[in-house]
Amino acid sequence: MDWGIFALRLYHYILLLSRVLAVSEFSNRTLINVIWLSIALVVPLLFWFPGRRMNKVWFCILELLLGGSYYVNSVIYPDLTSKADYLLPSLTMGYLLTKRTLWIIPVVVFIPFSFQSHLRLSWEQTLAIGTDNLLFCCIGMWASFVANAYDQKNKLAAEVEHQNKLLTHYSAEIEKMTLLEERNRMSKELHDTLGHSFISLILSLDASIALMDRKPAEAKDRLIRLRTLAEENLDEMRNIVHEMGEEEESSLIRQVESLVVRFREYTGTALTLSLPGTERSIRFEVRQAVLRVIQESLTNALKHGKASQLHLELEFSEKNLQLSVRNNGEPIDKLNYGFGLTTMKQRVERLGGRLHVSSREGTPAITEVRCEIPLKGVMPHGEN
């Protein structure tokens, strides 16, 4: 649109120059008019040129001073040129109109009144010329609105396309992060679940090997139970692989009791249990975190602490779930968060809870894993 308006203005001045130069007799007046028209054409372009300069205020001022004065002069002295008009310059200034140049509208209307008395024009004729100038100025304003709307549409389309590219990029990044998080979660689930089970299997196999020669019947019975445990581990692994995120209604107390029974049976370790009488309904993530903390704590107590006695305590307060696993194993000189402890800590902290491991020497030595997880919006199990 800018170039179209520029071309119309250029056509106006070239047409006037051709009329001046077409005069048969060349005179000083003709030379002055040629110079005047050339200045009126070129000088305003120093302030507005499509794609380069956009000082619209000074363009309009110079257009009125140079082009407008030549227009008035050509009307008053038409001996060297045919009668000019000021329609296309009015259109150009209307196209470049801003809030600072609104004064142009009355100026282009009242330009004809500057030569009304000299030409002895009637008020109707003068007003008609001014109205024509106003009409072309309004056409230029309309063209500016159309151009601005088209420009805004293109910018909006470009912005939408840019946002779509960003969303596509973010979506890919989120998908990548989700897959990575799921992969990490799978590794933690497998470590917490199968690692605990394999420790139990290894300890039971060691006991079975020791009984093989002295008590073959008891060793056989142990191996049969170990086979059952291996089948249960396989089923648990399949459940993890197929769907780890299902929030099935399940009792945490029953799951803890089942876990403890199997631990006692396959490791022969003395494990006492303190559970609440009333269970609270909790989210799947909290239930899974509690079970994994218990499994990791029991496994570490046997594997690293060589514990012979353990005590597990689970409590529900009004706002929190509290878990404590204590053992009489070898005290920890320097606490080192390996993969298992780090996984436990991350699980609990992700739920807004805290995990603390402490160890002290004495008779007996006590090592304790304690965690506290907030219960958000839960209610007693089975209540509405």
Side-chain angles (χ1 to χ4, degrees):
M1 189 70 77
D2 285 4
W3 283 106
I5 299 297
F6 176 82
L8 288 175
R9 180 181 180 274
L10 185 64
Y11 164 77
H12 169 78
Y13 283 102
I14 291 177
L15 181 62
L16 292 180
L17 279 169
S18 65
R19 288 176 180 176
V20 173
L21 295 174
V23 176
S24 56
E25 294 182 2
F26 189 80
S27 64
N28 292 334
R29 176 66 63 84
T30 303
L31 179 61
I32 291 173
N33 286 335
V34 169
I35 296 174
W36 197 342
L37 277 174
S38 300
I39 293 174
L41 168 64
V42 175
V43 172
L45 295 182
L46 298 176
F47 297 92
W48 176 75
F49 195 90
R52 291 181 178 272
R53 293 175 288 276
M54 293 299 292
N55 193 329
K56 299 178 181 179
V57 176
W58 275 103
F59 172 87
C60 293
I61 292 173
L62 292 172
E63 176 63 51
L64 282 171
L65 290 176
L66 299 174
S69 60
Y70 180 84
Y71 165 60
V72 174
N73 179 71
S74 67
V75 174
I76 296 176
Y77 303 104
D79 52 329
L80 295 179
T81 63
S82 61
K83 184 176 181 298
D85 57 52
Y86 206 60
L87 300 181
L88 292 181
S90 297
L91 183 146
T92 304
M93 289 187 289
Y95 179 77
L96 298 176
L97 200 68
T98 66
K99 291 182 179 180
R100 298 176 59 187
T101 56
L102 287 175
W103 50 269
I104 288 174
I105 297 176
V107 170
V108 297
V109 174
F110 287 105
I111 282 179
F113 290 91
S114 64
F115 52 75
Q116 179 191 18
S117 59
H118 186 274
L119 297 180
R120 298 178 182 179
L121 299 175
S122 66
W123 284 97
E124 290 79 6
Q125 291 175 313
T126 306
L127 189 59
I129 298 173
T131 303
D132 289 341
N133 291 344
L134 176 62
L135 175 63
F136 271 74
C137 185
C138 291
I139 293 174
M141 293 167 59
W142 172 81
S144 177
F145 291 146
V146 173
N148 288 334
Y150 185 77
D151 185 58
Q152 290 296 324
K153 181 185 76 69
N154 286 343
K155 289 180 178 179
L156 183 60
E159 180 66 20
V160 169
E161 184 179 0
H162 177 66
Q163 292 297 328
N164 286 337
K165 289 181 179 178
L166 285 179
L167 287 174
T168 302
H169 176 72
Y170 290 154
S171 177
E173 287 296 320
I174 290 173
E175 183 179 0
K176 185 177 178 180
M177 291 172 62
T178 302
L179 289 174
L180 181 60
E181 183 178 351
E182 185 65 18
R183 192 180 302 123
N184 291 336
R185 192 163 70 96
M186 285 283 288
S187 66
K188 292 173 183 178
E189 289 288 342
L190 292 173
H191 172 271
D192 294 343
T193 305
L194 299 183
H196 165 77
S197 300
F198 280 122
I199 289 293
S200 299
L201 282 171
I202 292 170
L203 292 174
S204 297
L205 285 172
D206 288 341
S208 299
I209 292 172
L211 292 172
M212 191 69 70
D213 295 329
R214 294 184 292 106
K215 297 179 181 180
E218 185 177 344
K220 181 178 180 182
D221 181 61
R222 279 180 172 271
L223 290 173
I224 292 173
R225 284 183 291 168
L226 285 175
R227 186 182 185 282
T228 303
L229 176 61
E231 289 180 348
E232 292 175 357
N233 290 343
L234 179 60
D235 293 337
E236 188 168 6
M237 184 187 71
R238 285 172 175 168
N239 291 334
I240 292 173
V241 172
H242 286 301
E243 190 58 65
M244 293 190 300
E246 292 183 357
E247 291 199 26
E248 300 176 351
E249 287 296 326
S250 179
S251 168
L252 174 62
I253 291 179
R254 286 200 300 269
Q255 289 180 296
V256 172
E257 288 175 339
S258 175
L259 189 153
V260 168
V261 168
R262 283 188 293 168
F263 182 82
R264 286 171 179 161
E265 182 178 357
Y266 296 115
T267 66
T269 306
L271 173 57
T272 56
L273 190 62
S274 177
L275 297 175
T278 303
E279 182 174 353
R280 305 284 295 277
S281 178
I282 60 178
R283 292 175 293 152
F284 173 78
E285 293 88 351
V286 176
R287 189 168 64 246
Q288 286 295 97
V290 171
L291 292 174
R292 298 306 176 234
V293 169
I294 293 173
Q295 287 178 329
E296 185 68 23
S297 300
L298 298 180
T299 300
N300 287 343
L302 292 185
K303 182 179 179 182
H304 302 296
K306 305 295 188 292
S308 59
Q309 293 181 346
L310 296 97
H311 177 73
L312 188 153
E313 184 176 352
L314 182 67
E315 292 181 356
F316 289 98
S317 66
E318 183 178 350
K319 297 182 179 180
N320 298 311
L321 180 152
Q322 297 172 348
L323 171 69
S324 172
V325 181
R326 296 190 294 272
N327 69 80
N328 65 344
E330 298 175 2
I332 304 173
D333 293 331
K334 185 178 180 181
L335 182 61
N336 182 22
Y337 278 83
F339 185 80
L341 280 177
T342 301
T343 300
M344 282 198 299
K345 186 176 177 65
Q346 290 175 349
R347 280 180 180 275
V348 173
E349 290 179 349
R350 192 160 51 240
L351 297 171
R354 294 176 297 174
L355 178 73
H356 178 68
V357 181
S358 62
S359 182
R360 61 179 174 83
E361 298 181 356
T363 308
I366 297 295
T367 299
E368 180 181 24
V369 177
R370 175 177 289 275
C371 78
E372 185 177 286
I373 301 175
L375 302 176
K376 299 177 181 178
V378 302
M379 56 185 65
H381 189 62
E383 293 186 9
N384 293 321

